[in-house]
């Protein structure tokens, strides 16, 4: 009787193992899928930071160009070989004068995503009108592509409108000046406030004022970039 029970247990265990393997195989049948977005924050990990739209406003900065990454993410098992991804570029911005982007995109072997750098050029025409760069994916024999997957970068220049034209932002951060905006951009990495929740503005103000105090104590640490100490501005309602 004991031998019969043991044999039955072994048969049950083996059958469960085969069942699990079949389930695992069923989970990964069919073609892999691709999704595209824009990497929202250059300092965070790509896995946690992808959205469909990003706004780039040069504002009061002295930058003449900047690079923003599109990101293509894989849903499925990474391949054992490099695989080419087909993309489609559209939008009102002009390639060569407003931006530069390499359309030869390859998903490396073993990778779950690939970044697609897009160099934004500060074209004088951005002062007159907002432009955009739109990327979408093209399905092929290797990858499925959902109909809704696309990404866009909006480009503009001039004043940071989401600061200047928003009474709450202007109240929390104070009056927008070129010096303050340069400091804001260098410390935060944002071009405008379009992607910032207004509930976070108080914390941003406190953070920036601490950075001002740090600069005033040790301007050499910042290569005296913002001039003589103490700085003549703060991120306060009365400034």
């Amino acid at each position: 009787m004991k031998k019969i029970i043991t044999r039955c247990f072994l048969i049950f265990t083996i059958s469960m193992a085969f069942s699990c393997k079949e389930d695992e195989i069923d989970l990964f049948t069919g073609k892999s899928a691709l999704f595209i977005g824009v990497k929202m924050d250059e300092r965070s990990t790509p896995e946690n930071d992808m959205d469909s739209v990003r706004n780039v406003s040069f504002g009061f900065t002295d930058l003449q160009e900047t690079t923003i990454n599109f990101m293509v993410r894989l849903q499925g098992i990474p391949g054992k070989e490099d695989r080419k991804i087909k993309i489609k570029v559209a939008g009102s911005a002009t390639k060569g004068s407003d931006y530069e982007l390499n359309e030869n995109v390859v998903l490396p072997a073993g990778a779950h995503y690939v970044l697609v750098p897009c160099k934004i050029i500060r074209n004088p025409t951005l002062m007159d009108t907002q432009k955009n760069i739109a990327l979408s994916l093209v399905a092929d024999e290797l990858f499925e592509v959902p109909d809704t997957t696309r990404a866009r970068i909006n480009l503009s220049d001039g004043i940071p409108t989401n600061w200047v034209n928003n009474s709450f932002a202007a109240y929390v951060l104070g009056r927008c000046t070129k010096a303050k905006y340069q400091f804001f951009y260098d410390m935060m990495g944002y071009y405008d406030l379009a992607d910032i929740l207004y509930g976070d503005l108080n914390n941003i103000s406190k953070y920036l004022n601490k950075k001002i105090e740090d600069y005033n104590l040790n301007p050499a640490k910042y290569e005296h970039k913002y001039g003589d100490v103490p700085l003549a501005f703060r991120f306060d309602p009365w400034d």
Side-chain angles (χ1 to χ4, degrees):
M1 185 67 179
K2 186 175 181 179
K3 290 183 178 179
I4 293 174
I5 294 174
T6 303
R7 288 176 181 173
C8 289
F9 178 74
L10 288 172
I11 292 171
F12 176 76
T13 303
I14 292 171
S15 64
M16 286 296 293
F18 278 111
S19 176
C20 289
K21 289 183 179 179
E22 289 176 359
D23 289 343
E24 289 173 2
I25 292 172
D26 290 343
L27 287 173
F28 297 107
T29 54
K31 292 193 295 186
S32 298
L34 293 176
F35 298 84
I36 191 169
V38 189
K39 192 169 181 296
M40 297 302 294
D41 187 344
E42 303 309 314
R43 296 168 294 182
S44 64
T45 58
E47 294 87 345
N48 301 319
D49 192 21
M50 191 170 82
D51 208 342
S52 58
V53 180
R54 180 166 178 181
N55 298 313
V56 174
S57 176
F58 285 101
F60 289 150
T61 71
D62 294 324
L63 291 176
Q64 296 305 307
E65 61 182 45
T66 188
T67 297
I68 305 296
N69 287 311
F70 286 99
M71 182 164 60
V72 181
R73 182 176 291 160
L74 172 71
Q75 179 176 293
I77 300 175
K80 296 181 180 179
E81 299 178 347
D82 294 351
R83 292 178 287 180
K84 186 172 182 179
I85 295 173
K86 296 179 181 178
I87 66 172
K88 181 179 179 181
V89 185
S92 55
T94 303
K95 187 175 182 180
S97 57
D98 295 317
Y99 71 96
E100 294 178 3
L101 183 145
N102 185 356
E103 298 182 38
N104 183 26
V105 181
V106 175
L107 181 67
H112 289 274
Y113 67 88
V114 60
L115 298 179
V116 184
C118 181
K119 185 168 77 171
I120 311 299
I121 303 169
R122 194 171 193 173
N123 190 319
T125 59
L126 291 176
M127 294 291 294
D128 301 320
T129 183
Q130 185 183 80
K131 301 182 182 182
N132 66 78
I133 307 161
L135 254 67
S136 57
L137 301 171
V138 180
D140 58 15
E141 64 279 3
L142 294 177
F143 301 109
E144 297 282 359
V145 175
D147 293 336
T148 57
T149 182
R150 56 183 59 89
R152 187 176 77 248
I153 300 175
N154 296 323
L155 314 178
S156 62
D157 204 345
I159 63 174
T161 55
N162 289 91
W163 181 347
V164 175
N165 296 334
N166 184 280
S167 58
F168 182 70
Y171 172 78
V172 175
L173 300 177
R175 183 175 55 92
C176 184
T177 65
K178 182 174 182 178
K180 286 178 67 174
Y181 187 71
Q182 182 68 58
F183 191 88
F184 173 91
Y185 167 72
D186 289 343
M187 297 300 137
M188 301 301 300
Y190 302 129
Y191 294 87
D192 208 338
L193 305 180
D195 300 314
I196 299 177
L197 297 175
Y198 288 122
D200 294 332
L201 286 175
N202 285 319
N203 291 329
I204 291 173
S205 175
K206 292 176 183 177
Y207 172 79
L208 292 173
N209 285 328
K210 287 182 179 179
K211 285 293 184 180
I212 288 176
E213 293 171 4
D214 187 51
Y215 179 85
N216 288 336
L217 291 172
N218 187 10
K221 176 181 175 181
Y222 300 85
E223 299 179 346
H224 297 269
K225 182 175 182 178
Y226 308 103
D228 298 334
V229 297
L231 292 182
F233 61 83
R234 285 182 61 84
F235 294 86
D236 293 315
W238 51 83
D239 186 16

